[in-house]
Amino acid sequence: MNVTLNDIRERESRHIVQTYKRQPVAFVRGRGVYLYDVDGREYLDFVTGVGVAALGHAHPGLTAVIADQAATLIHTSNLYYHPFQADAASRLAELSGLPRVFFCNSGAEAVEACLKFARRFWYTKGERDRLGFVAVEGAFSGRTMGALSVTHHYREPFGPLIGPVTFVDPSKPEDLARAVTSKTAAVIAEPIIGEGGVRPMTPEFAAAINEACARTGALYIADEVQTGLGRTGYPFYSKVLGLRPDLISVGKALGGGIPIGAALVSENIAQTISAGDHGSTYGGNLLGTRAAAFVLEQLTNGLIDHVKSVGAHLERRLRALQLQHQIIVEVRGAGLMRGLQLDVDAAPIIDGARERGLLVNRTDERVVRLLPPLVTEVSEIDRAVEILDGVFSAVRQEVKA
Ligand SMILES: *Cc1c(COP(=O)(O)O)cnc(C)c1O
């Protein structure tokens, strides 16, 4: 390919809405845990397109089912049946314990569906003033108007959003208890805040959600778009925390790179939803759901257990790294979803790692986030941690100089 990074940047600067601040690299190819840029340079990918490429890049099995389906039939709409929605849905039901699934195309749409289904539930029950949502400070649930309404950042220029939404400090379970009332349709919270800095929910806050929902009847929506589907070493991290979600939003890893999201729904909520209440032209098409069924099959055939074991290795290595470098003040997360809390801006670390051939990203300014593919091996984790060790040492030298 004869394209250069500068060509691409120049053309994008003229024609792309400038909503993203990109890193100065353009990728053209991937294989497993590695990405290759326009100059053929190799990078260890511990971002995976933000937790999407769960099976790594160009996974032979996933590639084969996508190619086969593309050559057979991609899309027919929800006017008709096809075999793969039920395949993917039954696997999701088995993993989550929630029996019904609505397919859409992204995480934000999965959250939208959950919010709409929660309102629909209370509407059907005749509690038509039960409209409120309780969300968490630092939460990220997506960029559409509904999902943005329960997202704590990025809201300012876009109001008024849907309401009423009350944001609660996740270190104050007593505030959640006060915020949830008989007018609350649902509480929505990520089991581990992802974009907001890899911050696991405390057991006390999880208990407060259970208690508040039991007391008032409010529904609980677990936003597992990032934490779900094996990322933490478990199918869903809400279960690990003892939460009992009525709805779960999933996305990111679900299609292994093919855009697909889903709202997982309890039977009693599903019973309040009628034909025509919600829909999506692309949602649940053959290509996306066949890819998802393949990814889900890999998860249950040992991949989640693999994440648990390599995730424990990653945690040990990161804790050892913390002992070597004072600017790392905390190691957080679970499985292959990890954050290093620094006491300085993380941007120079992200740049230094990329220059040394490792992709990691920054969230919440001072956090280095690691989201390697679920298929990552111990040797690749060791290599990534060695690169980080070099970067942290170099940054320390610069500070001293
Ligand atoms: C990424 C993310 C979303 C939004 O997903 P999109 O596919 O970008 O719309 C929602 N919730 C959580 C927890 C996420 O991490």
Side-chain angles (χ1 to χ4, degrees):
M1 206 176 281
N2 289 322
V3 65
T4 68
L5 176 60
N6 280 339
D7 287 344
I8 297 170
R9 289 179 97 166
E10 208 278 314
R11 278 189 296 142
E12 279 212 358
S13 72
R14 275 182 288 143
H15 296 299
I16 299 294
V17 178
Q18 299 292 302
T19 53
Y20 303 108
K21 193 161 168 280
R22 300 196 201 283
Q23 308 264 305
V25 60
F27 293 112
V28 290
R29 192 164 69 78
R31 184 131 207 105
V33 188
Y34 293 94
L35 281 174
Y36 299 87
D37 73 9
V38 284
D39 301 318
R41 222 187 133 205
E42 181 180 87
Y43 298 79
L44 196 51
D45 182 9
F46 273 38
V47 177
T48 50
V50 199
V52 167
L55 306 184
H57 301 289
H59 182 280
L62 181 61
T63 304
V65 300
I66 291 170
D68 179 66
Q69 198 55 46
T72 308
L73 189 61
I74 292 177
H75 175 87
T76 55
S77 90
N78 285 298
L79 297 172
Y80 312 105
Y81 288 102
H82 68 70
F84 303 117
Q85 282 201 19
D87 280 0
S90 61
R91 290 182 186 281
L92 283 167
E94 204 174 306
L95 278 177
S96 70
L98 294 175
R100 293 197 184 260
V101 180
F102 174 84
F103 285 112
C104 51
N105 314 291
S106 67
E109 283 178 71
V111 170
E112 291 290 332
C114 289
L115 298 175
K116 284 184 73 178
F117 293 160
R119 285 243 177 119
R120 181 56 160 123
F121 176 82
W122 294 113
Y123 182 92
T124 308
K125 296 276 171 204
E127 296 193 34
R128 299 202 174 170
D129 59 348
R130 192 157 187 160
L131 302 171
F133 295 99
V134 174
V136 171
E137 289 175 7
F140 181 86
S141 282
R143 308 289 196 144
T144 55
M145 284 298 208
L148 190 60
S149 302
V150 292
T151 290
H152 195 230
H153 298 296
Y154 316 111
R155 310 159 50 83
E156 239 286 300
F158 304 108
L161 300 172
I162 67 158
V165 178
T166 310
F167 287 95
V168 171
D169 179 342
S171 70
K172 294 183 178 152
E174 66 281 9
D175 287 5
L176 180 97
R178 255 196 305 279
V180 180
T181 70
S182 60
K183 297 287 175 274
T184 305
V187 176
I188 178 167
E190 299 157 85
I192 302 175
I193 289 175
E195 302 305 302
V198 192
R199 301 173 193 281
M201 189 187 290
T202 63
E204 295 73 23
F205 199 78
I209 291 178
N210 280 341
E211 192 280 324
C213 290
R215 175 171 48 83
T216 63
L219 304 173
Y220 169 54
I221 302 167
D223 184 352
E224 296 239 27
V225 171
Q226 193 160 148
T227 49
L229 304 175
R231 172 57 58 192
T232 66
Y234 300 89
F236 293 98
Y237 204 69
S238 50
K239 299 287 161 62
V240 178
L241 291 168
L243 290 159
R244 296 181 295 270
D246 302 286
L247 302 121
I248 301 177
S249 52
V250 295
K252 293 202 164 92
L254 181 56
I258 298 291
I260 180 170
L264 317 185
V265 183
S266 70
E267 186 63 38
N268 62 330
I269 293 173
Q271 290 306 328
T272 66
I273 299 161
S274 304
D277 272 345
H278 195 41
S280 161
T281 299
Y282 284 131
N285 69 42
L286 292 91
L287 187 71
T289 47
R290 182 151 175 219
F294 182 85
V295 170
L296 293 164
E297 185 185 351
Q298 305 305 300
L299 292 179
T300 44
N301 284 347
L303 190 54
I304 295 179
D305 296 330
H306 173 79
V307 173
K308 198 179 283 179
S309 87
V310 295
H313 181 77
L314 177 60
E315 180 174 20
R316 281 193 295 276
R317 293 297 316 255
L318 294 176
R319 293 205 183 282
L321 191 71
Q322 184 190 3
L323 297 178
Q324 302 299 312
H325 300 283
Q326 278 185 7
I327 70 168
I328 307 174
V329 296
E330 197 180 10
V331 176
R332 293 192 293 263
L336 290 176
M337 177 176 181
R338 299 286 173 178
L340 303 177
Q341 177 72 52
L342 310 184
D343 61 7
V344 294
D345 186 348
I349 303 298
I350 307 305
D351 291 340
R354 188 186 61 252
E355 282 154 17
R356 289 168 170 78
L358 170 67
L359 302 177
V360 288
N361 87 322
R362 179 178 81 151
T363 66
D364 200 25
E365 193 164 329
R366 295 186 166 193
V367 179
V368 176
R369 178 174 51 175
L370 295 88
L371 295 171
L374 305 188
V375 296
T376 303
E377 299 293 346
V378 161
S379 59
E380 292 151 346
I381 289 171
D382 288 345
R383 188 161 165 220
V385 173
E386 275 148 34
I387 293 173
L388 284 174
D389 188 27
V391 178
F392 281 117
S393 298
V395 166
R396 186 164 52 203
Q397 292 308 319
E398 271 168 39
V399 171
K400 276 189 192 147

